[in-house]
Amino acid sequence: MDAEQTVNGRGALADSAIRELIRSGAVRNAEEGNVRPASLDLAITSEVYRIEDIFLPRPGESVRDILKLGHPTAHHLSHPLERNVTYLARLQESFFLPSDIFCFFNPKSSTGRVDIQVRVVADSISRFDTIMPGGYSGELWLLITPRSFPVLLIAGESLSQVRFFNYDSVLGHAGLQAEYEKTPLIWDGAGVSLPFTSHCMDADNNLLLTVDLSQDFIGWECLGVNKILDLSKRKSYRPMEFFNPVRREGDHVHLHQGGMYILYTTERVLVPPHLSCEIVPMDERTGEFRAHYAGFVDPGWGYGRSGELKGRRLVLELRPFEDIVLRDRQPVTKIRYASLASLPATLYDTLDSNYTSDPRQEQGLSKHFNVEVT
């Protein structure tokens, strides 16, 4: 493919550039093994506080200096984090970034799929999950709120990841259409590319995706139980201990206010090696719900080792804010693409990932669960 002609040194940083940030000391205490194709997994430390109130610093304030606003109580990681209680954990990594490097954070996919809400807080930044403009120096903290069941963590566990940029390279309409004409980005289940005009419907230069309710089994609903999920354990739990399978009712499904559902897109999404992709929320005109919590898709998703695949479904973590009925192929979320500053050395589909190594994991549960026939 002609990706080499597309990258121009400006945009989202790929794995080799992230490793250079670590080696130069711009990102400190990070493990190079946590580098992904275009992101870095961040690890929590054992410095954790249970807090009563959520807060953000103002310019010139450090998180540590205003920690008292949250009425903190030290929390030892030998004890689980309770449901619907918020904790603040210091992250292992700290940043001393060059003036041209800014970044955004998002939950890891496994974090969203077990209904843990996480948000990064940084010194002097009055927004979550954001460091803009560039040149940040300081500690990083993570707000953690388990929503459906208590969780047990260990120091070093990664719940969030960061993406670095040296330029805002989000594709506008013309750039997105040109990429689509070169390599279609959305496919159906039969390996047929879908028309650009049918999925680029809004004026925000995002591609529209719909929910798949075409089969009897359509996803999972979090039970909201008090059983503890130990996040250090892999493939150790039965899905039915924490989830109920969701089955369609005709061509639709009823979702209840405040519930958390794992559903899937109808479309297969392809992220070529020279692009990254982000899931973005629908606006309130589509309904009062949020369709994702882990919103980043690495380059190489649905691409295969050398372009032989025709996309892969995205998993949605959907929470309704009112009782709703979803129908098959109803629009539920959007994706936007950004160009990379350089090609990654490793693509997502070549990684030994829980979601690529086991085809059954298209059922969408996190790496903590043994997949069962439902």
Side-chain angles (χ1 to χ4, degrees):
M1 65 178 299
D2 57 356
E4 290 83 354
Q5 300 172 13
T6 305
V7 295
N8 60 7
R10 299 196 303 172
L13 301 192
D15 44 15
S16 58
I18 295 173
R19 289 191 175 91
E20 182 55 35
L21 289 177
I22 296 172
R23 293 165 185 169
S24 70
V27 174
R28 299 183 185 175
N29 301 319
E31 299 178 17
E32 291 197 29
N34 284 339
V35 176
R36 310 292 284 176
S39 61
L40 170 67
D41 291 348
L42 302 172
I44 66 167
T45 66
S46 59
E47 184 178 358
V48 180
Y49 302 93
R50 176 186 174 127
I51 61 173
E52 298 177 14
D53 300 300
I54 295 172
F55 58 88
L56 281 169
R58 296 177 298 196
E61 295 178 334
S62 71
V63 175
R64 191 176 290 279
D65 287 344
I66 62 170
L67 181 58
K68 61 181 182 295
L69 294 176
H71 305 287
T73 302
H75 177 83
H76 197 282
L77 289 179
S78 60
H79 301 289
L81 279 62
E82 300 175 41
R83 291 173 59 193
N84 293 314
V85 174
T86 298
Y87 300 81
L88 183 68
R90 182 175 59 83
L91 289 172
Q92 176 177 295
E93 299 80 8
S94 56
F95 289 175
F96 299 85
L97 299 176
S99 60
D100 63 332
I101 302 297
F102 57 96
C103 50
F104 299 102
F105 305 83
N106 58 271
K108 292 183 60 179
S109 59
S110 55
T111 306
R113 294 181 196 189
V114 293
D115 201 18
I116 303 174
Q117 182 180 19
V118 298
R119 292 169 286 178
V120 171
V121 185
D123 297 344
S124 297
I125 306 293
S126 298
R127 299 181 69 190
F128 297 117
D129 291 333
T130 304
I131 290 182
M132 289 185 71
Y136 176 82
S137 294
E139 294 181 319
L140 299 170
W141 298 78
L142 189 67
L143 287 166
I144 308 169
T145 310
R147 292 297 184 190
S148 288
F149 22 77
V151 298
L152 194 63
L153 299 175
I154 59 173
E157 189 71 52
S158 293
L159 302 176
S160 183
Q161 59 189 173
V162 59
R163 295 169 289 135
F164 299 94
F165 295 79
N166 62 15
Y167 178 77
D168 182 1
S169 60
V170 172
L171 298 180
H173 184 87
L176 181 61
Q177 186 169 12
E179 290 288 352
Y180 207 102
E181 291 173 354
K182 184 168 52 180
T183 304
L185 303 174
I186 298 180
W187 302 75
D188 69 11
V192 177
S193 63
L194 299 174
F196 175 77
T197 53
S198 67
H199 286 78
C200 191
M201 299 174 63
D202 289 346
D204 55 10
N205 304 317
N206 299 322
L207 296 176
L208 199 64
L209 302 178
T210 65
V211 66
D212 183 7
L213 306 183
S214 62
Q215 306 296 317
D216 176 49
F217 169 79
I218 58 172
W220 302 90
E221 178 184 12
C222 279
L223 288 176
V225 296
N226 286 321
K227 183 177 177 62
I228 298 169
L229 180 71
D230 185 343
L231 295 188
S232 68
K233 296 182 178 180
R234 304 293 187 260
K235 297 185 180 295
S236 298
Y237 296 98
R238 297 176 58 252
M240 300 304 185
E241 296 178 83
F242 295 90
F243 296 90
N244 270 334
V246 179
R247 304 188 185 279
R248 67 177 180 177
E249 309 162 35
D251 71 340
H252 65 277
V253 64
H254 287 85
L255 305 183
H256 302 292
Q257 178 180 357
M260 191 277 187
Y261 300 85
I262 296 177
L263 302 174
Y264 314 94
T265 61
T266 305
E267 298 80 10
R268 273 63 175 170
V269 172
L270 172 66
V271 186
H274 61 291
L275 297 179
S276 66
C277 178
E278 182 181 10
I279 308 174
V280 294
M282 301 288 282
D283 59 52
E284 64 279 359
R285 293 173 298 174
T286 312
E288 293 291 342
F289 62 85
R290 180 168 173 176
H292 78 283
Y293 282 86
F296 178 61
V297 188
D298 265 308
W301 171 274
Y303 181 79
R305 293 187 174 273
S306 56
E308 71 277 8
L309 295 187
K310 304 300 182 184
R312 190 190 302 277
R313 292 197 300 176
L314 294 181
V315 178
L316 305 172
E317 302 101 18
L318 195 147
R319 172 167 279 114
F321 302 122
E322 57 189 352
D323 291 343
I324 62 174
V325 172
L326 283 186
R327 304 179 72 190
D328 188 35
R329 295 182 179 271
Q330 181 173 331
V332 290
T333 197
K334 296 183 287 189
I335 53 174
R336 64 177 169 221
Y337 285 84
S339 58
L340 296 182
S342 61
L343 290 175
T346 305
L347 299 179
Y348 179 87
D349 276 5
T350 66
L351 298 174
D352 185 19
S353 164
N354 182 64
Y355 310 116
T356 58
S357 60
D358 186 348
R360 297 173 301 167
Q361 285 292 352
E362 185 146 300
Q363 292 191 57
L365 293 179
S366 72
K367 57 194 174 186
H368 312 96
F369 295 93
N370 272 318
V371 179
E372 296 179 340
V373 178
T374 58

